[in-house]
Amino acid sequence: MNKKMLQFINLDQNTPEKRSTGERKKDFHEIYKDFINEKAQEQSSRCSQCGVPFCQIHCPLQNNIPDWLKLTAEGRLQEAYELSQSTNNMPEVCGRICPQDRLCEGNCVIEQSGHGTVTIGSIEKYITDTAWEKNWVKPIKIKKELNKSIGIIGAGPAGLACAEELRKFGYQVTIYDRYDRPGGLLIYGIPNFKLEKFVVERRTNLLKQGGIKFIQNFEVGKDKNLHELKKDHDAILIATGVYKTREIEIEGNNLKNIFPAMDFLTASNRKGLGDKVELFDNGTLNVEGKDVVVIGGGDTAMDCVRTATRQKAKSVKCLYRRDKENMPGSAREVANAIEEGVEFIWLSGPKKFIGNKKVEQVQVNKMILGSADSSGRRKPEIQKNSEYNIKADIVIKSLGFDPEDLTELFSAKELSVSKWGTIKIDLNTMETNIDGIFAAGDIVRGASLVVWAIKDGRDAALQIQKYLKEKIAEKNNIKAA
Ligand SMILES: Cc1cc2nc3c(=O)[nH]c(=O)nc-3n(C[C@H](O)[C@H](O)[C@H](O)COP(=O)(O)OP(=O)(O)OC[C@H]3O[C@@H](n4cnc5c(N)ncnc54)[C@H](O)[C@@H]3O)c2cc1C
Ligand code: SF4
């Protein structure tokens, strides 16, 4: 565990050695809980203002980190906030959930020289949380209403960032979303212990106050198709994310109590928001007292295991077919999970699910890492005669997500998609092959990160503005001629 983690997690219970064996913490001291002004100033003043801002270069939003650290160190928090929010629509969200160890903090020169990174993410969070507390965060005020309208499909970070930027220009913006609440995966995917729901709700409320219209429970493809929606607007942004769960085709997959990760996480998030959730309330998706097996090694798998420990599961095991060094998830998340008592079974893949109607055991193959595949990663191979069984009352499958078939869903056969089903765009204009229809976020990149979705949303807004201006100019020329 790196020095930064040690600063933020209360380590009053077990030694690191004990924790790595999977011994359970009795309660959870959430990360960042005690981050106070003195700490923010002290941490900010550790920035060496090195001249080559590797942190900034490796932040997808190119946040001006050295300057807002300097302002924070000098106690000029409102100025730090103004600077931070000028490049990021949700700094308090990124501060909480960016994998900083792979982005800004991982590239901090102080970290590189072995002295522990400046805790950029927690300072970013602190600055913006303080701005909310002090009422410095204001709804959008526009100078002039413009009579062009944009329809945005998807109220996740890409759609929200694009909507905010377009509204600032004065455009009429409507966001359509098939869920009952805006926020996309910020609301129903990412667990509350990483990103509290009030943080997302106060952002979306602010956008509503700024004049952005939200239409919830509206599914494009069901309530209107893409072309019908296009008739209502001058431009459209598709920001629908990726939601098709990757399946695991093994014997016993049809047994009860085997669920995709999103079913488990959405149920847990809905409960946290106070909703009635039948499958949770009847005990099916509530893992208290159960032996839980999570399959997968990405960040979503880490969210599942950490949610399960918080629901007081009897045991939580994470099966991953490669080793720790080759896990796709953030090292920090793995460290957190170990800290919380999750048992990792590396180099292991499920062979079949065993049970009578309901799953009772998972048969596991031990794996070894063979030669590198075309992506350069060593391929896991099954070790012969290595099977053994582990007990499971519930299995959660977390093998990643693919895009839904939008051409079918949206009744837009001509919409150009890649072989993976992501939407193809012109990388300069962010426009799809259909005039006036743009796309951003996970539906273009494949499953990615919030900070990239925000960046794409902001870029799309600039391109949509350019497109609308050109359209107006074209019309005026035709009229003049
Ligand atoms: C469990 C989980 C944990 C994650 N944790 C992190 C993390 O810690 N840090 C991080 O940076 N990233 C994390 N991510 C990734 C991150 O959440 C995504 O990259 C990001 O949310 C993508 O933003 P988006 O706006 O493209 O899509 P989404 O957030 O998926 O939003 C898409 C929206 O479109 C709506 N929609 C879809 N289809 C339709 C339709 N037909 N009609 C109307 N509306 C529609 C959906 O309801 C949804 O609200 C996590 C992802 C998951 C699944
Ligand atoms: S947005 Fe993410 S990568 Fe950029 S400074 Fe903030 S935490 Fe770091």
Side-chain angles (χ1 to χ4, degrees):
M1 188 181 301
N2 65 28
K3 283 180 189 160
K4 180 194 164 233
M5 286 278 311
L6 290 168
Q7 281 166 342
F8 294 115
I9 295 179
N10 184 334
L11 296 174
D12 56 356
Q13 306 199 24
N14 307 319
T15 63
E17 291 72 30
K18 270 188 183 172
R19 284 191 306 279
S20 66
T21 62
E23 186 170 315
R24 188 75 53 82
K25 279 184 74 169
K26 289 188 185 62
D27 56 5
F28 300 101
H29 299 270
E30 304 298 1
I31 302 172
Y32 306 125
K33 194 173 173 188
D34 298 315
F35 204 77
I36 49 167
N37 191 34
E38 289 70 32
K39 189 129 222 155
Q41 278 186 285
E42 180 197 311
Q43 271 296 320
S44 302
S45 62
R46 290 182 62 232
C47 174
S48 65
Q49 299 288 320
C50 56
V52 189
F54 289 111
C55 55
Q56 181 170 4
I57 294 164
H58 287 88
C59 165
L61 292 164
Q62 313 271 280
N63 284 341
N64 191 344
I65 301 164
D67 283 358
W68 50 250
L69 287 178
K70 190 165 185 287
L71 289 166
T72 306
E74 289 168 2
R76 295 158 65 187
L77 270 192
Q78 187 161 3
E79 289 162 84
Y81 158 71
E82 293 296 345
L83 189 59
S84 155
Q85 64 84 46
S86 68
T87 51
N88 189 350
N89 301 71
M90 305 173 202
E92 73 284 24
V93 171
C94 293
R96 282 169 167 87
I97 59 159
C98 268
Q100 287 101 4
D101 52 349
R102 284 188 259 153
L103 302 170
C104 52
E105 293 180 10
N107 290 283
C108 166
V109 289
I110 301 179
E111 170 79 359
Q112 300 288 333
S113 64
H115 293 91
T117 178
V118 175
T119 58
I120 297 165
S122 47
I123 296 166
E124 187 178 31
K125 168 193 176 291
Y126 175 76
I127 293 169
T128 315
D129 280 350
T130 307
W132 278 98
E133 255 170 48
K134 306 250 183 211
N135 211 14
W136 300 334
V137 185
K138 301 281 184 211
I140 304 162
K141 262 205 185 129
I142 54 168
K143 289 194 187 109
K144 190 177 160 216
E145 294 284 353
L146 300 174
N147 69 350
K148 290 272 168 224
S149 93
I150 300 101
I152 293 181
I153 313 170
L160 295 175
C162 182
E164 182 170 4
E165 295 307 300
L166 285 169
R167 183 67 191 140
K168 283 181 194 165
F169 292 128
Y171 292 116
Q172 311 307 311
V173 183
T174 305
I175 306 185
Y176 302 87
D177 200 289
R178 66 181 170 193
Y179 287 155
D180 53 348
R181 293 181 176 92
L185 288 171
L186 302 181
I187 280 284
Y188 288 132
I190 302 172
N192 197 53
F193 62 83
K194 270 168 63 181
L195 175 61
E196 310 93 301
K197 301 306 159 196
F198 83 89
V199 172
V200 184
E201 285 172 341
R202 71 184 175 190
R203 268 286 158 202
T204 47
N205 287 338
L206 190 83
L207 296 180
K208 284 177 196 167
Q209 289 163 30
I212 293 168
K213 196 169 160 199
F214 285 78
I215 303 186
Q216 301 297 144
N217 299 307
F218 186 105
E219 182 164 352
V220 178
K222 216 167 90 191
D223 296 302
K224 266 189 185 179
N225 70 31
L226 186 62
H227 295 290
E228 287 164 347
L229 198 70
K230 176 70 175 68
K231 284 186 193 143
D232 299 340
H233 299 283
D234 298 291
I236 294 280
L237 177 79
I238 305 174
T240 47
V242 289
Y243 284 88
K244 196 168 90 191
T245 309
R246 279 190 203 141
E247 257 311 331
I248 179 167
E249 304 297 348
I250 56 171
E251 196 183 323
N253 200 14
N254 55 349
L255 288 170
K256 284 191 177 155
N257 290 352
I258 301 175
F259 293 98
M262 274 305 285
D263 287 14
F264 176 61
L265 293 173
T266 304
S268 176
N269 277 320
R270 280 198 178 280
K271 279 316 289 177
L273 285 156
D275 293 356
K276 258 183 158 298
V277 182
E278 204 187 318
L279 278 183
F280 188 95
D281 299 334
N282 70 16
T284 311
L285 281 173
N286 178 354
V287 300
E288 183 171 355
K290 293 181 184 170
D291 290 307
V292 181
V293 174
V294 175
I295 301 172
D299 286 336
T300 303
M302 294 312 105
D303 287 344
C304 291
V305 293
R306 299 184 69 204
T307 299
T309 55
R310 281 163 177 75
Q311 285 183 14
K312 300 194 171 65
K314 189 167 151 205
S315 72
V316 184
K317 293 187 175 64
C318 180
L319 281 189
Y320 181 57
R321 60 196 183 131
R322 290 188 166 90
D323 58 8
K324 188 178 179 187
E325 285 64 46
N326 285 290
M327 283 183 93
S330 145
R332 187 178 69 177
E333 288 293 297
V334 177
N336 287 340
I338 291 172
E339 155 93 17
E340 291 162 10
V342 174
E343 189 183 332
F344 283 87
I345 312 182
W346 283 293
L347 290 166
S348 305
K351 185 180 178 192
K352 63 176 172 183
F353 300 119
I354 302 167
N356 177 17
K357 292 194 182 150
K358 288 182 183 169
V359 69
E360 287 161 20
Q361 296 185 77
V362 182
Q363 189 164 92
V364 179
N365 276 319
K366 285 191 185 160
M367 317 288 279
I368 44 172
L369 291 181
S371 46
D373 61 16
S374 55
S375 71
R377 290 176 82 198
R378 289 176 67 194
K379 222 171 131 188
E381 290 165 8
I382 294 171
Q383 230 177 308
K384 272 192 189 147
N385 303 323
S386 65
E387 299 91 343
Y388 68 101
N389 295 349
I390 53 176
K391 193 171 179 303
D393 298 315
I394 181 167
V395 172
I396 299 163
K397 298 178 287 187
S398 178
L399 300 146
F401 301 94
D402 288 317
E404 292 154 287
D405 184 352
L406 286 194
T407 56
E408 185 72 37
L409 195 73
F410 283 3
S411 306
K413 289 273 176 227
E414 74 280 31
L415 181 67
S416 189
V417 294
S418 71
K419 63 178 176 184
W420 301 279
T422 48
I423 295 182
K424 279 191 188 169
I425 54 168
D426 176 322
L427 293 176
N428 292 316
T429 62
M430 301 190 72
E431 198 172 10
T432 67
N433 61 322
I434 307 177
D435 179 53
I437 299 187
F438 298 74
D442 278 7
I443 193 57
V444 174
R445 290 179 180 273
S448 179
L449 293 173
V450 169
V451 65
W452 280 113
I454 295 172
K455 154 95 178 128
D456 290 351
R458 293 171 69 87
D459 288 350
L462 287 176
Q463 294 306 324
I464 292 172
Q465 187 216 19
K466 202 165 157 222
Y467 168 86
L468 291 175
K469 274 185 155 177
E470 278 166 12
K471 282 267 149 181
I472 295 168
E474 233 174 66
K475 252 193 196 165
N476 289 344
N477 282 345
I478 292 167
K479 266 194 197 158

